[in-house]
Amino acid sequence: MTIVRIRSLSALAVSALLALTGCGSGGGSASGDPVRLLVFGAPEELGAYRTLAEAYQQARTGERIQLIEASDRKDLLARLATSVAGGAPPDLFLMNYRFYGQFAAKGVVEPLDERIAASSVLDPADYYPVAMEAFRWGGAQLCLPQNVSSLAVYYNRTLFTRYGVPEPTAGWTWNDLVSTATLMTRDDRGLVIKGTEAEGAARLPAVHGLGVEPSIIRLAPLVWSNGGEIVDDPDRPTRLTLDSPAAREALRNLIDLRQAYGVVPSDAEVEAEDDESRFLNGRLAMLMTSRRATTNFRTITGFEWDVAPLPVYRQPVGVLHSDAYCMTRGSRNKDAAWRFMEYAMGEEGQRIIAATGRTVPSHMGVSRSPAFLDPDQPPRNSQVFLDAIPTVRALPTVSTWPEIEDLSYGILENAVHRGDKIDDVIRELDVKSRPMFARGENG
Amino acid sequence: MSAGDAAPGRRAARPDTRARRQLALMLTPYLIGLVGLVMVPALVTLGMSVTDYDLLRPPTWAGLDNFAALLDDPIFRVALLNSVVFALVAVPLRVLLALGLALLLHRRAAGVGTARTAALLPTAVPEIAYGLLWLWLFNPLYGPINQLLRVGGENGLTAFGRTPPQWLTDPTSARAGIILMSLFTMGETFVVLLAARRALPRDVYEMAAIEDATGWDVFRRITLPLLAPVLALLAVRDAVASLHFTFVPAFVVTDGGPPPYATTYLSLFVYQTGFEYLRYGYAAAATLVMMLLTVAAVLVQWRLIRRYRRFYQL
Amino acid sequence: MSEGLVLDGVSAAYRDATVLHEVDLTVARGELLVVLGPSGAGKSTVLRVVAGLEPVTAGRVRIADRDVTDERPGRRNVSMVFQSYALFPHLTVVENIAFGLEVRDTPRRVARERARAAAETVGCAGLLDRRPGQLSGGERQRVALARALVREPDVFLLDEPLSNLDLALRAEMRTELRALHDRLGATMVHVTHDQTEALVLADRIAVLRDGRVEQVGTPDEIWRTPASSFVARFVGSPAMNLLPADGPLRPRGDAPTLGEEPLEIGFRPEAVTLDAAEGTPATVDRVEVIGEDAFAYLRLAAGHQVVARVPAARRPERDATVRLDVRWADTHLFHAATGRRYQL
């Protein structure tokens, strides 16, 4: 009784707060209403979901999908949490496995095993196991992954040709990456320039060799490839383990990209123009990012571009990027929601999303079909993403992982751009993240 | 019914009661708002601050654990310090700027209307749009501010051979940037001061003119003391408001950075802790600290008014 | 006679409306000139032009033989008492009085000493440490006066200083003001709309109407030989009766020789005699009794009204028919068209 009252009161407080902060959640829902799907993304990604929803409504008369578009990942989290607390959650939401832990741990997500077993449309064996596995929590399949993306290196072929530098190839090493990036960092006369001299005196690079975000998800595959680990126990992590020699070396090398070689843009340059825009504008030779960027890059008309696998230390390892459809336990429209999930996860739905270029389909058949590998659509070398799948690993799904990512991003950003001492960086990451791990819950 | 219905003299208290009833009626919407939007959420916050609550599961009793954890939380301490420093620097600057503009623009003259509108305009811009505008202005390479600073210099330096401020990547510049942003939204303070200045009796200034008081004398001996109570109230009000209006700039423009937490203010800390990390109990405890700061500021304000009234024997 | 203040053909405008039309005024040193007129006549503007608070659009202003037309207010060496007194609410009485000295860099101690002396002169020495908010209207008025005279200016300008006081206090302050003037021997210009105040205080009175000087003269001259029907009616209460010269009333006695043009005859209520044997008949409209006096409002043929002052004990009844009479010696003649006095 008391608990119920506290809950409703706090819901009231939260809705007051929401009214003030200007991010209200959707209204109530009853069966017969459209299935409400909460997503976020860049305009072209939202466009992809709209296409999917329209195609579904065309294919199945009587079904209706209502997209709720959040402005970014954090907005999506806030909307989801507050709408759950308010008792009117969306029926479905799309979320990365790195961030679904807090909702999984708190029983917000509806387990799908029974529905999967009963489905005549959906066969779990059709999907890449690594992605399915990332959304298992406490032995139950909570969400269905729509994609199985990973990190790759996008590069501007036209620039490589112009400067006569060999393009990256499968099996290239970290050293190859550094020397290629160094050769591709040029001033406005097209001469090789050292970007570290940028501050103050000499000329600024007109083209930078490489763009890479100083974040734990970029660092992780490099550490793994070098034989190190990110956390002490991937299933029940209690601390970051960047102090091992292998992890330390990978981190050192990442920092040196800016501090020793100056091949990545400085913090001011990143603030002025983020890496993705810089690549779009032809001022970045290579960009380390996931499949997501493809939709955006397909708007490029001024130059040719392609994609190469991640460089390798000892063995090739990738990092899983995967988003999944999750059903809320509080949904009042579960059957209709499930029907949409079946469609979105099925070949047709997967093809529609794949055609936007945004994802590497989690459906194995679709991923090998022209919908994904269409030779007429850049990048020509999309096979890189499929080749990486056997080697990809997932990051921990501990419920406090979003906090840990935010924390590590700040510290790593300072390390790369200010050149903080590496021992201090590793210690700070460890000390400050420990309480977050301690508060976390695992599936 | 009208006053004519009341039997005169039978109940002397009658008109008074009616006046009171009308007063109560007129206050009701405000009171409902006050209770529903301020008191109840404040009490809920108080309740939530002694629990562990993630919105998704029922809250559990945590006692004073949240407050103890706040004391040990380096991020919270930084946020608190950032908020206090912001108030100490930005509030006097905002009030001074508003005062300066009000004194410049209180007369009728050509262009004054336009200038007043210009002074007010940034306050009328929606906060998010205002933030995005500054994100462009602050762009370290392509933003107009640094383009302007680089005029006359070479190799991306200013005319004095210095690097222009790295608004979004250097902690001090970023804090200065947030303060700079906040300066232009003092429109409300400006309007109040403009009205206060225009309400000052004209003959007092004519008196001063006849006595050949200089502009500085007039400002120091007349304008400033006469506006002092208004200024003090505005400053306190602004200090309270500064706890809130740091939110959007930090959220939109700097995202609490540069790293680690250069522009993470209490408001952003509360938002992140609650809405992004779903630690509502902890966020409520931090909110309570914010409310205590507000209460302290209101007490100061109350004392100021009392002292002012005693001073002028009002 | 050296001049204290001269306005020489001064015009002034507020926005687009001219509020003073080529005003000529001379105030002798040590003289108390009262500027009298209805509201809107431009009385205050005269003061403000002298103080330099309003610019002139034409003409010159001289103070103590010095042309100050282009000087700023602070350089004219005038003091002003505002109608509202314009005391600084945040300063004590002594600070208020010493303000003008202190901003002129008089040492603080000297300034305070002189403020004290000025306060004694006007009888507010007991209030020095209070603030304006704690003072009564009369006390504020004294403080404003003290502030005006602490600095020994060339001209004192007083803008209706008594208008905010109650009747008894006004009469008392009127006397004190006159005594103060006599003691100081200062040049003063005093603005008022109260004709009694003007008659009691003034060495000379300047009557203003619509931004023009209607007449300048001693109170006696103003009363006995008003230069126009306007002055005649403005000074005196109730106002002077005005009738067409060829109207229903023929004054008694030897009639002067009059020209062809239409004239008006004016006579004060005191000049009217009722119950004359062969007067003009009139009906009593109403009667006002003020103590010993009564004012009878009479209606003549053709609707003309006349007021007569009679002893209260012998007042006529309402609606009674009376016969009224006036002597030629008590009448004034004015041109009907211009209102100017008809020169016999």
Side-chain angles (χ1 to χ4, degrees):
Chain A
M1 187 63 198
T2 345
I3 286 168
V4 170
R5 217 169 59 216
I6 291 176
R7 276 184 70 107
S8 55
L9 279 182
S10 39
L12 179 66
V14 164
S15 48
L17 237 151
L18 287 178
L20 292 174
T21 50
C23 47
S25 57
S29 141
S31 50
D33 287 347
V35 172
R36 297 181 311 136
L37 167 62
L38 177 61
V39 293
F40 79 94
E44 60 272 11
E45 295 174 47
L46 294 174
Y49 296 122
R50 275 181 223 129
T51 312
L52 178 68
E54 274 161 30
Y56 176 61
Q57 288 169 128
Q58 295 255 313
R60 312 279 167 84
T61 34
E63 302 281 10
R64 282 188 300 148
I65 299 292
Q66 183 194 341
L67 280 187
I68 305 169
E69 298 172 1
S71 60
D72 58 16
R73 191 246 303 166
K74 292 180 171 181
D75 184 30
L76 183 139
L77 292 184
R79 284 185 187 222
L80 184 58
T82 49
S83 61
V84 167
D91 305 297
L92 296 174
F93 62 93
L94 200 69
M95 190 171 279
N96 196 291
Y97 72 95
R98 282 146 48 217
F99 307 118
Y100 95 123
Q102 51 189 333
F103 295 99
K106 289 157 192 175
V108 171
V109 187
E110 173 89 357
L112 300 174
D113 296 282
E114 283 176 29
R115 288 181 190 273
I116 295 171
S119 173
S120 57
V121 185
L122 219 130
D123 180 0
D126 287 342
Y127 299 89
Y128 287 105
V130 62
M132 294 293 276
E133 189 52 42
F135 290 96
R136 292 187 75 79
W137 186 274
Q141 189 72 40
L142 288 194
C143 309
L144 291 177
Q146 67 145 1
N147 63 343
V148 53
S149 182
S150 62
L151 215 51
V153 177
Y154 288 77
Y155 63 97
N156 183 329
R157 285 190 74 196
T158 307
L159 275 181
F160 274 82
T161 314
R162 182 185 306 160
Y163 297 133
V165 177
E167 293 174 28
T169 50
W172 64 325
T173 65
W174 182 263
N175 284 342
D176 296 337
L177 172 87
V178 173
S179 51
T180 307
T182 308
L183 281 176
M184 290 305 294
T185 304
R186 306 273 176 150
D187 67 11
D188 49 10
R189 293 166 300 180
L191 303 177
V192 173
I193 186 179
K194 204 168 176 194
T196 45
E197 296 165 354
E199 306 251 13
R203 310 168 65 87
L204 293 166
V207 173
H208 281 88
L210 178 66
V212 57
E213 209 179 60
S215 62
I216 204 99
I217 49 170
R218 300 284 185 271
L219 178 63
L222 305 173
V223 170
W224 290 331
S225 178
N226 203 24
E229 283 296 333
I230 290 287
V231 292
D232 53 352
D233 175 0
D235 292 331
R236 312 211 156 265
T238 63
R239 58 178 293 254
L240 291 171
T241 53
L242 298 176
D243 48 351
S244 72
R248 198 173 183 282
E249 187 191 1
L251 176 58
R252 167 87 270 160
N253 288 344
L254 183 71
I255 293 172
D256 280 349
L257 287 176
R258 174 73 224 147
Q259 292 297 319
Y261 306 111
V263 294
V264 297
S266 70
D267 50 355
E269 286 163 329
V270 173
E271 282 293 350
E273 184 179 31
D274 63 48
D275 286 345
E276 211 165 297
S277 317
R278 197 171 281 272
F279 187 86
L280 273 170
N281 294 331
R283 284 201 292 272
L284 199 59
M286 297 184 283
L287 174 59
M288 198 183 285
T289 187
S290 78
R291 177 74 189 183
R292 248 186 83 178
T294 300
T295 316
N296 198 6
F297 290 169
R298 282 188 179 168
T299 62
I300 293 171
T301 51
F303 59 87
E304 264 191 80
W305 56 277
D306 207 342
V307 65
L310 273 189
V312 177
Y313 277 96
R314 294 188 202 175
Q315 70 260 15
V317 185
V319 61
L320 177 71
H321 283 237
S322 182
D323 307 288
Y325 294 101
C326 308
M327 191 188 290
T328 54
R329 202 186 275 272
S331 163
R332 290 168 207 163
N333 217 353
K334 285 180 186 160
D335 293 335
W338 173 251
R339 288 196 295 276
F340 174 74
M341 268 174 124
E342 283 181 324
Y343 179 82
M345 291 298 295
E347 286 192 35
E348 205 178 335
Q350 288 267 296
R351 245 196 298 278
I352 289 168
I353 292 291
T356 66
R358 188 204 176 280
T359 62
V360 181
S362 56
H363 189 285
M364 290 190 263
V366 176
S367 75
R368 296 190 194 110
S369 75
F372 178 65
L373 293 173
D374 182 358
D376 296 336
Q377 287 269 34
R380 290 187 310 178
N381 206 2
S382 280
Q383 185 65 34
V384 161
F385 290 101
L386 299 187
D387 294 344
I389 292 174
T391 70
V392 297
R393 288 181 56 181
L395 288 158
T397 54
V398 58
S399 65
T400 48
W401 187 252
E403 275 180 78
I404 294 162
E405 271 197 16
D406 284 352
L407 169 84
S408 58
Y409 191 83
I411 297 172
L412 289 174
E413 202 181 346
N414 273 350
V416 168
H417 292 296
R418 287 201 322 219
D420 295 347
K421 275 175 64 185
I422 189 160
D423 292 319
D424 296 343
V425 171
I426 291 170
R427 191 178 322 113
E428 194 182 356
L429 279 169
D430 185 19
V431 169
K432 288 192 172 163
S433 63
R434 269 182 204 244
M436 298 176 179
F437 279 115
R439 273 193 281 111
E441 292 164 75
N442 294 284
Chain B
M1 295 282 156
S2 71
D5 296 338
R10 198 167 57 183
R11 277 173 60 189
R14 183 84 186 265
D16 188 39
T17 333
R18 193 173 51 240
R20 271 193 215 179
R21 207 183 303 138
Q22 282 172 350
L23 194 69
L25 206 65
M26 284 187 276
L27 274 174
T28 307
Y30 173 74
L31 284 176
I32 291 172
L34 184 74
V35 170
L37 296 174
V38 180
M39 307 283 263
V40 170
L43 283 176
V44 171
T45 304
L46 183 66
M48 268 163 67
S49 69
V50 290
T51 64
D52 267 334
Y53 184 39
D54 57 21
L55 273 198
L56 308 174
R57 285 175 298 198
T60 55
W61 177 257
L64 296 177
D65 289 357
N66 283 331
F67 295 96
L70 275 181
L71 283 179
D72 280 338
D73 186 340
I75 307 176
F76 173 75
R77 287 207 298 257
V78 168
L80 183 62
L81 186 69
N82 280 345
S83 281
V84 171
V85 169
F86 176 87
L88 288 179
V89 178
V91 170
L93 287 178
R94 278 166 59 92
V95 173
L96 278 183
L97 179 67
L99 177 64
L101 283 174
L103 295 186
L104 270 178
L105 300 178
H106 77 272
R107 291 185 196 86
R108 283 176 204 277
V112 160
T114 320
R116 284 185 197 159
T117 312
L120 260 177
L121 216 54
T123 315
V125 175
E127 274 188 292
I128 302 275
Y130 185 73
L132 293 175
L133 177 75
W134 279 92
L135 200 54
W136 169 66
L137 289 171
F138 280 145
N139 188 306
L141 295 184
Y142 312 116
I145 296 182
N146 279 6
Q147 300 251 16
L148 207 65
L149 290 176
R150 281 195 293 266
V151 168
E154 289 179 337
N155 289 330
L157 302 181
T158 64
F160 307 104
R162 306 263 309 263
T163 322
Q166 301 295 302
W167 296 110
L168 302 171
T169 54
D170 174 67
T172 311
S173 300
R175 289 192 192 105
I178 300 273
I179 288 170
L180 191 65
M181 275 182 75
S182 77
L183 289 188
F184 293 92
T185 54
M186 50 72 236
E188 237 178 297
T189 310
F190 162 71
V191 171
V192 173
L193 283 175
L194 191 68
R197 172 59 187 85
R198 284 164 66 85
L200 294 185
R202 191 175 74 154
D203 49 18
V204 165
Y205 285 89
E206 292 179 342
M207 183 70 218
I210 289 173
E211 298 299 348
D212 208 20
T214 59
W216 169 242
D217 265 327
V218 170
F219 175 71
R220 186 174 63 104
R221 292 170 184 265
I222 302 176
T223 308
L224 201 56
L226 289 182
L227 289 181
V230 182
L231 284 171
L233 290 191
L234 286 174
V236 173
R237 198 197 69 128
D238 222 43
V240 171
S242 78
L243 291 175
H244 309 283
F245 64 59
T246 47
F247 175 71
V248 172
F251 187 64
V252 174
V253 181
T254 59
D255 198 17
Y261 304 104
T263 59
T264 298
Y265 303 99
L266 278 183
S267 48
L268 186 65
F269 175 83
V270 168
Y271 177 85
Q272 286 179 331
T273 311
F275 290 99
E276 289 178 13
Y277 306 144
L278 307 184
R279 299 177 68 193
Y280 283 87
Y282 196 53
T287 307
L288 220 58
V289 174
M290 241 168 96
M291 291 199 318
L292 285 179
L293 282 180
T294 306
V295 168
V298 170
L299 280 180
V300 169
Q301 172 176 350
W302 185 60
R303 284 186 62 105
L304 275 173
I305 295 177
R306 249 192 4 177
R307 183 186 288 188
Y308 163 73
R309 301 188 96 154
R310 208 174 318 135
F311 185 75
Y312 287 105
Q313 311 280 334
L314 291 173
Chain C
M1 185 171 84
S2 65
E3 58 188 36
L5 167 70
V6 175
L7 300 188
D8 184 3
V10 166
S11 297
Y14 179 71
R15 299 212 176 150
D16 291 333
T18 307
V19 286
L20 290 184
H21 300 269
E22 294 172 27
V23 169
D24 294 310
L25 264 184
T26 305
V27 186
R29 193 159 286 184
E31 188 182 22
L32 199 168
L33 177 84
V34 171
V35 178
L36 177 67
S39 49
K43 308 183 298 283
S44 289
T45 310
V46 170
L47 284 199
R48 296 173 63 80
V49 160
V50 174
L53 298 173
E54 305 282 349
V56 301
T57 51
R60 310 301 295 175
V61 178
R62 286 201 303 280
I63 294 174
D65 300 318
R66 188 164 63 98
D67 188 331
V68 297
T69 317
D70 301 319
E71 295 277 15
R72 63 170 195 255
R75 289 288 174 79
R76 298 190 177 199
N77 198 22
V78 301
S79 321
M80 190 151 166
V81 175
F82 288 83
Q83 186 173 6
S84 64
Y85 313 135
L87 298 178
F88 304 122
H90 58 291
L91 298 182
T92 61
V93 166
V94 67
E95 286 164 343
N96 259 291
I97 300 175
F99 180 85
L101 297 173
E102 289 191 5
V103 297
R104 284 186 164 88
D105 296 329
T106 310
R108 175 171 260 248
R109 213 170 43 80
V110 178
R112 295 290 160 101
E113 209 41 61
R114 283 172 61 184
R116 206 175 304 276
E120 256 161 42
T121 311
V122 299
C124 64
L127 311 172
L128 290 179
D129 293 323
R130 300 220 208 143
R131 279 176 214 286
Q134 299 165 268
L135 302 180
S136 71
E139 287 169 333
R140 286 181 206 191
Q141 210 270 338
R142 282 170 206 269
V143 175
L145 268 179
R147 188 170 62 175
L149 56 86
V150 72
R151 204 161 41 72
E152 293 167 8
D154 290 330
V155 180
F156 285 92
L157 306 171
L158 301 99
D159 189 359
E160 310 223 11
L162 308 179
S163 63
N164 286 342
L165 304 180
D166 64 50
L167 207 59
L169 198 55
R170 198 184 308 173
E172 181 192 328
M173 284 309 293
R174 202 156 61 197
T175 318
E176 278 194 40
L177 207 54
R178 179 69 223 185
L180 187 68
H181 171 260
D182 294 345
R183 200 155 70 240
L184 296 173
T187 313
M188 285 186 180
V189 180
H190 180 118
V191 157
T192 184
H193 63 271
D194 179 343
Q195 38 111 8
T196 319
E197 196 173 306
L199 293 171
V200 172
L201 268 177
D203 289 329
R204 283 192 306 147
I205 297 175
V207 181
L208 225 58
R209 179 197 187 187
D210 295 337
R212 292 188 171 81
V213 176
E214 195 85 357
Q215 181 176 9
V216 182
T218 63
D220 246 18
E221 287 166 350
I222 297 283
W223 183 261
R224 291 187 196 287
T225 52
S228 67
S229 55
F230 171 79
V231 175
R233 281 183 66 82
F234 189 72
V235 180
S237 173
M240 182 184 279
N241 298 302
L242 273 187
L243 295 172
D246 54 357
L249 187 79
R250 289 295 302 173
R252 202 151 36 86
D254 299 333
T257 45
L258 304 176
E260 288 298 300
E261 74 267 55
L263 294 175
E264 288 187 310
I265 49 172
F267 47 93
R268 297 195 182 279
E270 295 85 342
V272 180
T273 327
L274 294 187
D275 294 327
E278 47 191 279
T280 312
T283 318
V284 179
D285 260 359
R286 62 194 164 96
V287 181
E288 286 173 359
V289 181
I290 301 166
E292 290 299 306
D293 289 326
F295 294 101
Y297 292 80
L298 314 171
R299 189 159 14 168
L300 276 61
H304 293 287
Q305 261 216 336
V306 167
V307 185
R309 182 168 128 185
V310 293
R314 286 191 284 138
R315 62 183 188 264
E317 290 293 313
R318 195 177 151 187
D319 293 332
T321 307
V322 294
R323 286 178 174 277
L324 62 109
D325 208 358
V326 180
R327 295 184 307 145
W328 270 115
D330 294 331
T331 61
H332 308 262
L333 282 166
F334 304 101
H335 293 281
T338 61
R340 303 307 300 177
R341 190 177 187 84
Y342 178 75
Q343 297 300 334
L344 286 170

